[in-house]
DNA sequence: GCCGTTTTCGGCCCGACTGTTTTCAGTCG
């Protein structure tokens, strides 16, 4: 990592790297963990800013307006910008071993974990770490999470989650329009199709002077590294992880360019069988996407469906689904309150849901065995049930449903006795423990849980945490068959770190004609809006209003939820 | 180190379980 910037301006990434290095070194010193976290947070913040921190410092702007930067860190950033070095970091480095100094070039690696690997495998260098990763030795010795950590730490291009890409796209889009002189800019590619993990952000840009846009874009975030450019394209490496690709398109062929740049490759292959090669210049005069589809007598294909499945054929037949939209949602069936690990009361959650225009909300606090989430005792659940009954007497035109997020225990039994389950309107049953069970055991565990007549909805079916944890192994098709035969439902958990069911699994469940609940798993009133992320994936799965439990009016919903009783 | 509608100190989520790194770190929401 170079200590001085060639251009004299430090990029946000370079400043962030130094803050991350401080955090790494402090980790080794076993310093106050909150101090370490503060440096990490500040580094992530700086890395993600569109404005140049170098410029802010030179303009004497107060960096403390940013949450997470206070007295000490703003001083440190000032020192980095003004001198190119940071005394406290140099001091920490001077006492560090050569392995650690080498590690600090990879700020995303956790030195404590890497040192454990070094010790166990008898290595001491990054290139050895890399080969241990590639040979599978790390996964074999330390498991998948460690392997994932090392892989992330060593990879230059980092993937980001879709909801982070939303923020990033806003910042970049604004920069393109306000600073670079672009006339029009629109995000395309994986992002437009709402793929849940993004490694590349693509923008289509309309401008008279593309080279000026490419040049000005280099000043994004202080300084942005241009990897490659042609007369009509430019690729940069974003400090916050993914690649940024700009592509020029003219007003005249904007619609055509949108289709091509949105992809996916598989979709375009199928599309070109209908339209002829869409790579040759001949067809290039569609201003809007709608014009293109009209010309070929096709239905407009929403970007979320462009994955090369059956969407082209259905578009030609005019049988594309009318995808679900935000206004179709009538309630939320997975929410937590202060009774377990939520931040707000039943009343507050209900009031907010009502203000959002919902007709009902299901309260699903955790069951007793999930201690860390303050799982509610049977007695307290009964108190809550009575409280909700009373509350419902006062409400008109809105209903609070009595439920619980019931743990599926290791043996497949449910974490609450039948006599209390009976009092609930429905249940969300989820796995929160023993992720390491094998595929057969895990599948059996869920099948058995479903056999309980009070099992209603399977919560976050695979337990995955995007970019963090792969989720447990399951024979999902078998679970689908079992669910169908017993009238159980699935949840599409909208939490942006989960998105579980995945669009692919939601498609499978839908193909088996199983209704899905799109739920937020809200732990506070502010989280209801995350329904947006679940809806995006539901649209990718081709779901319509009629396929989704919480699009149904209350009476119809209750009838479905109680059909097993 | 940061933060503040309990603001200049004291909290920043935490507590039980798991499993092999064998004695405590990692993990679950």
């Amino acid at each position: 990592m170079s200590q001085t910037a060639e251009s004299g301006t430090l990029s946000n990434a370079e400043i962030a790297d130094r803050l991350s290095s401080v955090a790494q070194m402090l980790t080794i010193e076993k310093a106050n963990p909150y101090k370490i976290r503060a440096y990490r947070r500040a580094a992530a913040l700086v890395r993600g800013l569109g404005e140049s921190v170098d410029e802010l410092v030179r303009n004497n702007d107060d960096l403390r307006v940013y949450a997470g930067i206070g007295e000490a860190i703003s001083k440190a950033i000032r020192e980095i910008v003004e001198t190119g070095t940071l005394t406290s970091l140099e001091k920490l480095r001077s006492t560090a071993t050569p392995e650690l100094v080498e590690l600090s070039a990879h700020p995303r690696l956790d030195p404590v974990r890497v040192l454990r690997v070094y010790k166990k495998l008898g290595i001491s260098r990054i290139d050895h770490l890399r080969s241990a990763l590639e040979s599978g030795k790390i996964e074999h010795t330390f498991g998948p999470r460690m392997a994932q950590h090392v892989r992330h730490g060593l990879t230059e291009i980092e993937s980001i989650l879709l909801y982070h890409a939303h923020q990033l796209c806003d910042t970049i889009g604004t920069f393109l329009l306000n600073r670079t002189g672009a006339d029009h800019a629109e995000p395309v590619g994986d992002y437009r199709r709402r793929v849940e993990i993004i490694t590349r952000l693509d923008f289509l840009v309309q401008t008279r002077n593309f080279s000026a846009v490419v040049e000005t874009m280099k000043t994004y975030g202080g300084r942005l590294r241009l990897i490659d450019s042609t007369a009509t394209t430019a690729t940069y490496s974003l400090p916050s992880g993914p690649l940024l690709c700009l592509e020029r398109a003219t007003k005249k062929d904007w619609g055509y360019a949108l289709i091509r740049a949105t992809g996916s490759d598989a979709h375009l292959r199928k599309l070109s069988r209908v339209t002829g090669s869409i790579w040759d210049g001949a067809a290039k005069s569609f201003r809007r996407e709608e014009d293109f589809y009209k010309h070929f007598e096709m239905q407009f294909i929403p970007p979320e469906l462009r994955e090369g499945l059956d969407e082209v054929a259905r578009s030609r037949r005019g049988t594309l689904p009318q995808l679900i939209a935000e206004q179709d949602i009538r309630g939320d069936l997975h929410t937590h309150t202060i009774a377990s690990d939520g931040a707000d009361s039943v009343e507050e959650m209900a009031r907010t849901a009502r203000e959002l225009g919902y007709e009902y909300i299901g309260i699903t606090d955790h069951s007793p065995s999930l201690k860390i989430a303050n799982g509610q005792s049977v007695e307290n659940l009964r108190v809550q049930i009575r409280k909700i009954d009373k509350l419902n007497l006062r409400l008109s035109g809105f209903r609070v449903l009595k439920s619980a997020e019931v743990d599926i225990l290791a043996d497949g039994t449910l974490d609450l006795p039948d006599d209390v389950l009976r009092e609930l309107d429905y249940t969300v049953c989820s796995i929160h423990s023993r992720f390491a069970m094998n595929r057969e055991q895990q599948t059996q565990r869920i099948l058995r849980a479903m056999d309980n007549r009070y099992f209603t909805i399977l919560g976050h079916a695979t337990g995955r945490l995007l970019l963090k944890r792969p989720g447990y192994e399951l024979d999902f098709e078998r679970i689908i068959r079992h669910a169908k035969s017993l009238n159980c439902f699935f949840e599409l958990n909208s939490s942006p770190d989960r998105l579980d069911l995945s669009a692919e699994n939601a498609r499978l469940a839908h193909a088996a004609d199983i209704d899905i609940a799109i739920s937020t798993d809200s732990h506070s009133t502010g989280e209801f809006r995350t329904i947006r992320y679940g809806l995006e994936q539901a649209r990718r799965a081709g779901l319509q209003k009629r396929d989704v439990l919480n699009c149904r009016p209350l009476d119809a919903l209750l009838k479905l939820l109680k059909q097993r009783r």
Side-chain angles (χ1 to χ4, degrees), chain A residues 114-133:
Chain A
V114 173
L115 288 183
R116 241 169 70 212
V117 176
Y118 278 5
K119 195 176 164 196
K120 178 84 180 172
L121 300 183
I123 55 177
S124 62
R125 280 175 22 204
I126 290 284
D127 51 343
H128 294 157
L129 184 69
R130 199 182 294 276
S131 33
L133 177 72

Side-chain angles (χ1 to χ4, degrees), chain A residues 132-168:
Chain A
L133 177 72
E134 281 159 11
S135 70
K137 214 166 170 181
I138 293 184
E139 168 136 21
H140 180 253
T141 317
F142 298 94
R145 291 197 77 149
M146 179 68 97
Q148 188 152 35
H149 172 72
V150 173
R151 195 171 303 116
H152 275 188
L154 292 178
T155 315
E156 295 230 355
I157 299 161
E158 198 188 357
S159 311
I160 58 170
L161 299 183
L162 182 58
Y163 80 117
H164 288 139
H166 283 312
Q167 294 156 15
L168 198 52

Side-chain angles (χ1 to χ4, degrees), chain A residues 338-354:
Chain A
I338 43 175
S340 64
D341 60 346
D344 298 303
S345 66
V346 172
E347 291 85 350
E348 286 161 334
M349 296 297 277
R351 191 188 315 128
T352 305
R354 198 171 190 178

Side-chain angles (χ1 to χ4, degrees), chain A residues 59-74:
Chain A
N59 290 341
N60 256 327
D61 283 354
D62 190 355
L63 297 176
R64 290 175 303 174
V65 298
Y66 297 103
I69 297 182
E71 192 66 42
I73 293 184
S74 76

Side-chain angles (χ1 to χ4, degrees), chain A residues 140-294:
Chain A
H140 180 253
T141 317
F142 298 94
R145 291 197 77 149
M146 179 68 97
Q148 188 152 35
H149 172 72
V150 173
R151 195 171 303 116
H152 275 188
L154 292 178
T155 315
E156 295 230 355
I157 299 161
E158 198 188 357
S159 311
I160 58 170
L161 299 183
L162 182 58
Y163 80 117
H164 288 139
H166 283 312
Q167 294 156 15
L168 198 52
C169 269
D170 284 349
T171 317
I172 292 170
T174 307
F175 190 94
L176 277 167
L177 293 180
N178 295 348
R179 302 280 192 89
T180 71
D183 297 317
H184 190 48
E186 229 176 291
V188 287
D190 285 0
Y191 174 77
R192 185 162 180 241
R193 302 197 322 278
R194 301 296 188 250
V195 175
E196 68 264 56
I197 291 175
I198 301 290
T199 51
R200 207 178 102 166
L201 283 178
D202 298 272
F203 271 85
L204 209 55
V205 179
Q206 188 187 307
T207 173
R208 277 172 207 182
N209 190 347
F210 189 66
S211 57
V213 171
V214 173
E215 209 44 44
T216 314
M217 201 64 213
K218 285 188 192 166
T219 65
Y220 176 87
R223 192 155 43 78
L224 192 62
R225 189 160 67 90
L226 179 67
I227 297 175
D228 185 37
S229 70
T230 70
T232 56
T233 65
T235 305
Y236 306 84
S237 171
L238 284 167
S240 38
L243 293 172
L244 170 64
C245 302
L246 305 183
E247 187 186 330
R248 183 184 187 176
T250 63
K251 198 169 183 176
K252 189 165 87 40
D253 65 16
W254 187 258
Y256 167 81
L258 267 182
I259 287 179
R260 199 168 36 72
T262 299
S264 64
D265 290 345
H267 170 75
L268 294 179
R269 272 196 299 277
K270 292 205 169 169
L271 191 61
S272 61
R273 280 184 219 149
V274 177
T275 63
S277 173
I278 50 176
W279 301 101
D280 70 36
K284 266 192 177 185
S285 53
F286 300 102
R287 283 181 178 236
R288 303 176 313 143
E289 284 184 323
E290 289 82 350
D291 303 334
F292 177 95
Y293 290 114
K294 200 172 168 190

Side-chain angles (χ1 to χ4, degrees), chain A residues 22-40 92 112:
Chain A
V22 173
Q24 275 189 320
M25 295 291 170
L26 289 173
T27 309
I28 291 296
E29 304 230 315
K30 294 196 193 299
N32 177 354
Y34 297 108
K35 181 173 173 177
I36 298 169
R37 190 192 295 172
Y39 272 95
R40 289 227 171 93
L92 285 164
V112 173

Side-chain angles (χ1 to χ4, degrees), chain A residues 332-335 337 346 350 359-366 376 380-393 395 398-406 416 419-428 454 456-457 554 557-558 561-562 565:
Chain A
D332 197 327
L333 297 175
H334 187 162
T335 68
T337 75
V346 172
E359 295 164 25
Y360 48 84
I361 181 181
I363 303 294
T364 52
D365 279 306
H366 288 289
Q376 198 169 209
N380 287 345
L381 177 55
R382 287 217 156 90
V383 172
Q384 187 180 59
I385 288 170
R386 286 194 291 273
K387 191 171 145 188
I388 291 175
D389 282 338
K390 268 191 187 164
L391 179 61
N392 277 326
L393 291 176
L395 296 170
F398 187 87
R399 173 81 166 269
V400 181
L401 299 176
K402 297 166 284 186
S403 183
E405 182 174 15
V406 188
L416 285 169
D419 63 342
V420 68
L421 291 175
R422 189 180 305 129
E423 295 181 45
L424 301 173
D425 291 311
Y426 71 100
T427 60
V428 175
Y454 298 109
T456 323
I457 301 171
L554 180 65
L557 172 73
L558 283 174
L561 295 177
K562 297 195 171 188
R565 303 294 179 87

